[in-house]
Amino acid sequence: MRYWSTPLPGLRETQEAFAAALLDDPDTAFSALLADGTHPGAALLQVYRNNVSTSLSNALQAVYPVVTQLVGTGFFAYAADSYLRRYPSRSGNLHDFGREFGEFLNTFPAAQELAYLPQVARLEWAWHCAFHGADHAPLAPAALGTVPADLYGTLVFLLHPTARLVTSDYPVLRLWQMHQADYTGDQQVDLTVGGDRLLVARPHTVVQIVPLGRGEYALLQSLMRGASLAEACDAALCQEAEFDLAGMLQKHVQHATLVAFQITDTGHPGTSQQAGR
């Protein structure tokens, strides 16, 4: 299709054609200018195209510094160029760009021998989201003391807005740690040791990556999906028969992973409330 339908296109039509041409869409009137190198607009459009490509590639590299170190800047630039054509930025907020990079690497032909790479990318995206996420006041531990014991199982907890859960088949936390500026430990990693279950969050001022046990992960995953405490506890016990629910609740209230709760019990009219805000 051609974006130009009249000799004098409208503003929106012109802008859409220009945006498409910036991403190398050949089927636009602007791209036709590039095919005719004698037109003065061709060189100017190429300047804009280069600026867009460079800016988005730099933004992607800023979000994925560990992936960049693992593959090198040349390979990353090649991957970024392919990515931005498949997943062009759709948001006015540059922090939203790069969301699908882990999924992209999973099918990117040149990265197929690096099976751990998409999982490292997912960890880095979780860190990025946690870093830029919203703040939330912690839950006052005393608030839980006001809940009648027979309603504990009906509690539905709200996790901190920055909280993300990440699982992997490879030791991605170890790979991430090894590529931090302040890391001074062993530079060897055994990719066969298994994967991680991680909580990524910024409950205060610094993003934290916390390894989780099987039951702990199942508990938080269930709560994140809106399950009641009773349902989340059942999920945790299915993973760990000796799961310490009281200890884990205390831990995640103190660490501000859990920041609010709601009592929802149809058998007790009037008991629905918000607490911890």
Side-chain angles (χ1 to χ4, degrees):
M1 63 176 286
R2 288 290 184 186
Y3 285 87
W4 254 246
S5 59
T6 68
L8 295 175
L11 176 61
R12 177 175 179 176
E13 194 174 24
T14 303
Q15 290 174 331
E16 289 177 345
F18 179 67
L22 290 178
L23 295 176
D24 253 344
D25 185 340
D27 195 22
T28 70
F30 274 109
S31 293
L33 292 177
L34 291 178
D36 179 8
T38 63
H39 195 290
L44 296 177
L45 182 57
Q46 190 60 43
V47 171
Y48 278 105
R49 178 179 287 172
N50 290 339
N51 287 342
V52 168
S53 178
T54 299
S55 297
L56 291 178
S57 294
N58 288 344
L60 200 64
Q61 185 171 328
V63 176
Y64 296 100
V66 174
V67 171
T68 303
Q69 293 179 62
L70 287 169
V71 300
T73 55
F75 183 98
F76 190 90
Y78 169 54
D81 183 70
S82 298
Y83 173 79
L84 67 89
R85 299 179 196 285
R86 189 181 304 180
Y87 298 98
S89 178
R90 301 298 186 190
S91 171
N93 184 351
L94 197 56
H95 292 319
D96 293 335
F97 183 64
R99 181 182 307 275
E100 305 91 348
F101 194 57
E103 176 185 340
F104 164 80
L105 289 174
N106 201 43
T107 58
F108 187 47
Q112 292 308 291
E113 294 185 3
L114 306 174
Y116 56 87
L117 202 62
Q119 299 181 21
V120 174
R122 294 186 186 107
L123 174 57
E124 291 205 273
W125 181 254
W127 192 99
H128 172 78
C129 291
F131 183 82
H132 293 287
D135 294 323
H136 197 291
L139 171 62
L144 287 170
T146 66
V147 180
D150 62 331
L151 296 182
Y152 285 167
T154 71
L155 295 180
V156 175
F157 281 91
L158 174 69
L159 274 69
H160 195 280
T162 64
R164 302 290 188 277
L165 295 174
V166 177
T167 58
S168 67
D169 300 315
Y170 297 94
V172 294
L173 178 57
R174 170 82 169 148
L175 287 167
W176 185 89
Q177 291 170 333
M178 289 171 55
H179 292 86
Q180 301 308 300
D182 58 352
Y183 180 77
T184 58
D186 186 3
Q187 294 294 328
Q188 302 297 317
V189 59
D190 182 359
L191 295 176
T192 67
V193 298
D196 295 318
R197 290 172 295 272
L198 305 170
L199 167 66
V200 184
R202 197 203 71 243
H204 303 296
T205 59
V206 179
V207 178
Q208 301 174 355
I209 304 177
V210 182
L212 303 175
R214 293 190 306 276
E216 188 177 12
Y217 183 92
L219 178 80
L220 294 179
Q221 182 183 52
S222 297
L223 293 177
M224 187 174 283
R225 292 173 175 172
S228 69
L229 183 58
E231 293 168 333
C233 183
D234 287 343
L237 288 170
C238 285
Q239 296 297 319
E240 278 186 52
E242 303 298 324
F243 181 72
D244 179 10
L245 176 62
M248 285 302 166
L249 283 179
Q250 182 179 28
K251 169 185 174 180
H252 288 290
V253 169
Q254 290 178 343
H255 290 182
T257 309
L258 305 176
V259 294
F261 65 84
Q262 183 178 25
I263 304 173
T264 307
D265 181 19
T266 56
H268 292 73
T271 58
S272 179
Q273 67 181 67
Q274 286 293 120
R277 290 188 175 182

